[in-house]
Amino acid sequence: AVAFTPDGTRLLTGAGDDTLRAWDATTGKELWRVAASGKGVTALAVSPDGRTVAVGTWAGVVQLRDAVTGAVRLALGGHEENVTAVAFAPDGRWLASGSGDDTLRLWDAATGKESRAFEGGNDYDVTAVAFMPGDRRLVAGDGEGGLTVWDAETGESDAAIEGHRTTVTAVV
């Protein structure tokens, strides 16, 4: 998993070896390295202000970490299987996470409190997630090639998009 900070100065990477690392994006120098303590890093997203990194893990936990030091701020439980996707809303207010347990969850990014679990729509592992500009809607891709557009405030599905024959691996 890889993500740049919004200012482009740092690159954050996570791997199956359970490490989270920060790199100077210009020089390639490693700035810090921490153990993710989650059986491996599966997904990363940096908050719009560049201060927080969301780390999805094989253990089914989403960690909110300080993007400058790597220190854990919050650990968000709720998924029963590996977290496969994380994304911050454009204003940084919400964090969405998708999992191999077929769930899409919405969290308050400041407190770590779960705001909602989306039901229906994605019928298989939620493998990719992204917010649309304006914060209100998000889209989730799944392991069956489907995409579901959700209203983040109401939890209602706005649309189902079909066409891929296999796993949707990324939504940007």
Side-chain angles (χ1 to χ4, degrees):
V2 296
F4 278 100
T5 55
D7 64 5
T9 61
R10 284 172 287 137
L11 174 65
L12 299 167
T13 62
D17 64 1
D18 202 38
T19 60
L20 176 65
R21 298 173 191 226
W23 310 87
D24 182 297
T26 303
T27 66
K29 179 183 177 202
E30 185 177 293
L31 303 173
W32 51 260
R33 175 190 322 185
V34 296
S37 303
K39 299 182 183 177
V41 175
T42 55
L44 291 177
V46 179
S47 63
D49 66 7
R51 293 186 213 164
T52 304
V53 59
V55 180
T57 70
W58 274 104
V61 174
V62 177
Q63 300 171 344
L64 294 180
R65 290 179 171 262
D66 184 292
V68 175
T69 67
V72 175
R73 291 184 180 153
L74 295 168
L76 316 178
H79 288 294
E80 295 176 11
E81 292 185 26
N82 57 317
V83 174
T84 53
V86 291
F88 281 97
D91 69 356
R93 184 173 113 194
W94 291 327
L95 173 74
S97 61
S99 172
D101 65 7
D102 305 346
T103 63
L104 174 65
R105 298 183 185 278
L106 187 68
W107 310 88
D108 180 303
T111 66
K113 181 180 177 193
E114 184 177 322
S115 297
R116 79 173 63 257
F118 296 85
E119 297 183 19
N122 297 93
D123 295 326
Y124 197 70
D125 300 355
V126 177
T127 54
V129 64
F131 278 88
M132 298 172 114
D135 288 332
R136 186 176 172 125
R137 296 189 320 154
L138 65 153
V139 63
D142 66 37
E144 291 288 305
L147 295 150
T148 304
V149 180
W150 297 95
D151 183 309
E153 291 184 17
T154 68
E156 301 291 321
S157 172
D158 286 346
I161 302 168
E162 309 246 344
H164 293 288
R165 289 181 270 159
T166 187
T167 303
V168 174
T169 56
V171 180
V172 182

